[in-house]
Amino acid sequence: MTKSGAEPDRGELGRLLQDAGSAYEASGVEALIEGVLAAPAEVGTSWHALVADRMPPALAAALEALRSAKAKTYRNGLSAEDFERLPRTARLGRLREALASQGLDGFIVPRSDEHQGEYVPPRGQRLAWLTGFTGSAGVAIVLRERAALFVDGRYTLQAAAQVDTQLFETHHLIDEPPARWVETALTPGVVLGYDPWLHPPHDVERFRAAAEKTGASLCAVSENPLDLAWSDRPAAPIAPVVPHPERFAGESAQSKRTRIGRALAEEGAAAVVLTMPESIAWLLNIRGGDVPHTPLPLSFAILRQDGSVILFIDRRKLVPGLERHLGNGVTVMPPEGFGPALGALAAQGGRVQVDPASAASWVFDGLEAAGAKIHRAADPCLLPKACKNPVEVEGTRAAHRRDGMALTRFLAWLAREAPKGGLAEIAASDRLEAIRREGEHFRDLSFPTISGAASNGAIVHYRATPETEKRLEPGSLYLLDSGAQYLDGTTDVTRTVAIGEPSPEMRDRFTRVLKGHIALALARFPKGTTGTQLDAFARRALWLKGLDYDHGTGHGVGSYLGVHEGPQRISKAPNGQALLPGMIVSNEPGYYKTGAYGIRIENLVLVQPVEDAAEREMLGFETLTLAPIDRNLIDPSLLDQEEIAWLDAYHTRVRETLTPLVDPETARWLAEATQPITTALPT
């Protein structure tokens, strides 16, 4: 059956495939596995369904044997071991050699992939391959003699730890934007290259204007030079694409397609090009697993006025029966058909809607070259997706109850274990993940857990590793930012816990963060208000002390989709999108003292109408997250009566909702942890 006790004999594998009625031969399965290995580990054995409807145990064993054998030699170029094999200096050198061969003097390397999204598979992790920086926002510019990396305030400390500053000078993405750097770094005659698949049009326009100011030029490449330098670049991921049942989605895909098609007609557009996998997953009620922690099937689509859709996707990813779920109104085509389809769409003469904020410049270039009439407008799925329907709202409430039960069980365990000493960041986050995995409808974490003790908590998007993790020591703070993907909702919650006795300064800072959190939770605002207008609510108590935090206060959250979802957000950064009923956003002010500790308190909230509004239509927030807030970190003298009333009411709701769901030991801890703020508190 196997060769060398590991790989299955190809002839035997072929016979097993034939007996199971599979359309695959052994060579096809090997190619499929290359994509499976490039997908997140959560795929597990679910990919077997792509091989055969009927999966006899002998075939399942052979498939796993082949996958395991190939996994031993699989390299994605991104691990610490891979960087030892090919160091950063060599990678940069390879890129510069590729640039020279293409007649380029420089190249822009963004963190994004062809979909311009936050969620990028290994194949698209070009910035990480080149620099070692793994944050979710950043861009590098490589010239013949200089190279620069730009990251925002969330990642300043992370970039310093991951990037060789002898190779890359580092800059703040917002305060020192890349286009401004280009104006000072380029000289006349220099040719700066970019991959039009990896930039939206406004980025290209900014870089072109900056280059031309210096007498340099910006040049689109047909073949990415970094891809040439990355000789062992992973395959495109392959994870099963499955239906998302209407009992969770709340609306049929046909209804959504018809609804959005009507909206296109009202806009005077014949069709819209969809490049965001989140929008396509929502529209067609499908989910996948191509990227970590977010159930996205990477794909493109064209939706017409009549509600018909062409879906461009690797057909190997579709589970048996999915095309029946999609229905006659959806045509499946391979990804390489996307370009010709854009040309055909342009030739038909109608206006083609494309979102300049999310679609690649390549899409616009192709349509313009084909003579299309382009209507630049937002992705029409964004707002309907963001405004959850009643089924999705009830689903997310249920998901938060289960998630709150898991987190509360963990916090009770932490209260018992941390004082014993020896507990470290990875073991703590592993324990929480194990508890969450027991929950109904659990599918995955919604992002890598941020488990930061002491000074690691001051790194906003910290990721614990064996080399960096700290123990939870007495007198320190422990910041835990985590969430989960459930079939009925997506969660994201942060709690900061005192290990032992906190200092007066820690209590002061925590209480000021709490005051901001409560101010936002209690906010009432007229319809039409944006998150930008509310952001200061969460910062006022910190500002009064000359303090602040360098990240947004709130991001949108999907329904078993992205934990970061637009277009809504709460941030200092200007944002014209009004908050609308049904939107879910996070409420997460924080404070970070570099080298000492970090504090963040995060709940998810639902935008709801205020029923007792008088003259104007008013909106407010319903808090969805259910978990105790550490009372030992609160200085009650800094809270007013309204804030105390909110906290006591919140803790009462947490206790009454979760007590029936947890074990007796956790229930006893929860009763103590949710006592009114006026009792048993330090003064």
Side-chain angles (χ1 to χ4, degrees):
M1 176 64 189
T2 64
K3 291 180 179 179
S4 304
E7 291 196 31
D9 177 86
R10 298 306 189 270
E12 178 65 14
L13 176 59
R15 286 189 290 276
L16 289 170
L17 290 166
Q18 188 174 28
D19 290 347
S22 174
Y24 278 97
E25 296 179 351
S27 59
V29 170
E30 291 192 65
L32 183 76
I33 287 174
E34 291 296 321
V36 171
L37 291 173
E42 283 295 323
V43 168
T45 60
S46 65
W47 67 277
H48 292 183
L50 304 176
V51 177
D53 277 335
R54 185 174 61 86
M55 184 52 57
L59 176 57
L63 293 176
E64 280 309 294
L66 183 56
R67 186 202 62 79
S68 296
K70 288 194 167 294
K72 292 175 183 176
T73 57
Y74 174 75
R75 297 282 178 266
N76 63 17
L78 302 170
S79 69
E81 187 179 354
D82 290 326
F83 275 99
E84 289 179 8
R85 284 193 175 91
L86 186 66
R88 290 162 174 80
T89 304
R91 296 175 187 227
L92 186 58
R94 280 193 182 186
L95 175 57
R96 284 179 167 141
E97 289 173 6
L99 294 180
S101 71
Q102 292 184 329
L104 299 172
D105 301 296
F107 192 68
I108 306 167
V109 184
R111 196 277 181 170
S112 57
D113 70 354
E114 295 80 355
H115 301 278
Q116 307 302 306
E118 178 182 358
Y119 316 106
V120 178
R123 181 178 177 82
Q125 294 279 2
R126 296 174 177 89
L127 185 64
W129 180 86
L130 178 65
T131 67
F133 173 68
T134 59
S136 64
V139 61
I141 302 176
V142 175
L143 304 178
R144 290 182 185 270
E145 303 295 334
R146 294 177 67 183
L149 174 70
F150 302 82
V151 300
D152 67 27
R154 297 171 296 169
Y155 296 117
T156 304
L157 296 177
Q158 180 177 331
Q162 291 182 322
V163 177
D164 185 344
T165 55
Q166 297 298 310
L167 299 176
F168 289 87
E169 51 192 83
T170 56
H171 300 275
H172 194 288
L173 188 62
I174 309 302
D175 298 340
E176 307 170 87
R180 189 184 304 165
W181 184 86
V182 162
E183 291 181 19
T184 64
L186 300 192
T187 55
V190 163
V191 179
L192 180 64
Y194 75 96
D195 185 339
W197 271 112
L198 307 182
H199 300 268
H202 60 270
D203 276 1
V204 174
E205 291 159 9
R206 278 199 290 265
F207 279 118
R208 177 166 286 116
E212 290 175 352
K213 274 187 181 181
T214 71
S217 61
L218 191 70
C219 175
V221 299
S222 57
E223 189 169 20
N224 190 311
L226 191 145
D227 294 352
L228 297 175
W230 190 352
S231 56
D232 56 350
R233 188 165 166 245
I238 294 177
V241 180
V242 300
H244 186 52
E246 193 174 331
R247 67 188 178 101
F248 297 123
E251 182 182 5
S252 71
Q254 182 176 352
S255 171
K256 292 178 181 179
R257 291 191 283 108
T258 301
R259 182 156 61 102
I260 304 302
R262 284 198 300 265
L264 289 177
E266 292 170 5
E267 282 280 311
V272 61
V273 179
L274 299 175
T275 63
M276 296 179 65
E278 303 96 309
S279 292
I280 297 166
W282 173 86
L283 179 69
L284 300 180
N285 283 350
I286 57 177
R287 297 295 188 267
D290 286 339
V291 296
H293 307 303
T294 307
L296 297 182
L298 296 181
S299 55
F300 297 96
I302 296 173
L303 168 68
R304 297 181 183 274
Q305 275 188 6
D306 63 2
S308 65
V309 169
I310 305 175
L311 174 64
F312 302 91
I313 194 168
D314 186 341
R315 194 183 291 270
R316 294 179 299 169
K317 296 193 288 191
L318 308 186
V319 299
L322 186 75
E323 292 189 60
R324 289 195 300 274
H325 163 79
L326 294 172
N328 294 331
V330 179
T331 302
V332 178
M333 292 186 65
E336 52 269 25
F338 184 47
L342 293 181
L345 189 61
Q348 292 168 8
R351 285 212 305 170
V352 180
Q353 184 168 324
V354 192
D355 187 347
S358 60
S361 179
W362 185 92
V363 174
F364 289 85
D365 294 346
L367 287 170
E368 287 168 359
K373 302 171 186 174
I374 300 177
H375 175 49
R376 297 188 176 215
D379 180 329
C381 299
L382 284 180
L383 274 180
K385 174 166 61 69
C387 298
K388 309 300 183 283
N389 62 47
V391 170
E392 290 173 316
V393 168
E394 283 306 311
T396 200
R397 287 178 179 138
H400 278 87
R401 286 192 294 271
R402 295 193 303 276
D403 201 64
M405 172 184 65
L407 181 55
T408 299
R409 284 177 56 195
F410 168 81
L411 291 172
W413 172 85
L414 184 70
R416 296 191 301 269
E417 294 299 316
K420 298 177 183 177
L423 184 62
E425 294 167 350
I426 295 175
S429 62
D430 285 351
R431 173 71 176 187
L432 175 57
E433 180 177 347
I435 296 172
R436 274 198 169 108
R437 285 184 178 277
E438 299 172 7
E440 184 184 15
H441 299 323
F442 176 91
R443 286 298 178 268
D444 194 1
L445 301 181
S446 55
F447 57 94
T449 298
I450 299 169
S451 176
S455 60
N456 285 341
I459 303 172
V460 177
H461 279 202
Y462 171 71
R463 179 77 179 273
T465 67
E467 294 77 25
T468 64
E469 72 167 334
K470 292 179 179 291
R471 294 185 183 277
L472 281 60
E473 303 283 358
S476 69
L477 298 185
Y478 174 53
L479 187 153
L480 183 69
D481 186 348
S482 65
Q485 293 283 9
Y486 301 94
L487 287 173
D488 51 356
T490 300
T491 68
D492 182 2
V493 50
T494 308
R495 288 296 182 265
T496 306
V497 179
I499 307 301
E501 185 67 15
S503 70
E505 179 189 277
M506 291 173 176
R507 282 200 176 101
D508 175 272
R509 304 302 190 260
F510 182 90
T511 308
R512 290 179 185 278
V513 171
L514 177 60
K515 286 170 73 70
H517 180 94
I518 294 172
L520 195 56
L522 288 171
R524 298 291 181 268
F525 46 94
K527 184 178 180 181
T529 299
T530 69
T532 302
Q533 293 170 297
L534 297 181
D535 183 75
F537 283 45
R539 299 180 190 266
R540 181 176 180 272
L542 289 165
W543 285 352
L544 288 173
K545 194 79 170 179
L547 309 170
D548 203 358
Y549 50 94
D550 196 11
H551 60 73
T553 299
H555 55 83
V557 177
S559 178
Y560 187 42
L561 272 174
V563 73
H564 297 140
E565 176 180 86
Q568 73 274 25
R569 67 174 184 267
I570 302 173
S571 173
K572 288 181 188 177
N575 176 26
Q577 176 58 55
L579 295 172
L580 299 173
M583 286 181 170
I584 298 172
V585 292
S586 64
N587 172 2
E588 51 178 312
Y591 171 76
Y592 311 92
K593 186 173 183 179
T594 301
Y597 59 85
I599 295 167
R600 189 159 61 250
I601 304 170
E602 177 185 18
N603 288 341
L604 298 190
V605 296
L606 173 71
V607 182
Q608 291 272 54
V610 175
E611 295 181 0
D612 59 354
E615 296 182 1
R616 296 193 177 192
E617 186 176 349
M618 301 292 287
L619 302 174
F621 294 122
E622 171 194 336
T623 296
L624 298 168
T625 305
L626 297 167
I629 295 169
D630 190 353
R631 295 181 315 128
N632 192 37
L633 272 167
I634 297 171
D635 179 350
S637 69
L638 293 178
L639 298 179
D640 62 30
Q641 289 304 308
E642 185 180 38
E643 291 164 340
I644 291 172
W646 180 91
L647 186 62
D648 286 348
Y650 175 71
H651 273 156
T652 297
R653 180 175 159 230
V654 168
R655 182 174 63 253
E656 292 177 349
T657 303
L658 299 183
T659 296
L661 306 179
V662 298
D663 58 275
E665 188 174 18
T666 299
R668 287 191 292 273
W669 175 86
L670 180 60
E672 177 60 30
T674 56
Q675 286 294 305
I677 195 71
T678 51
T679 63
L681 270 180
T683 58

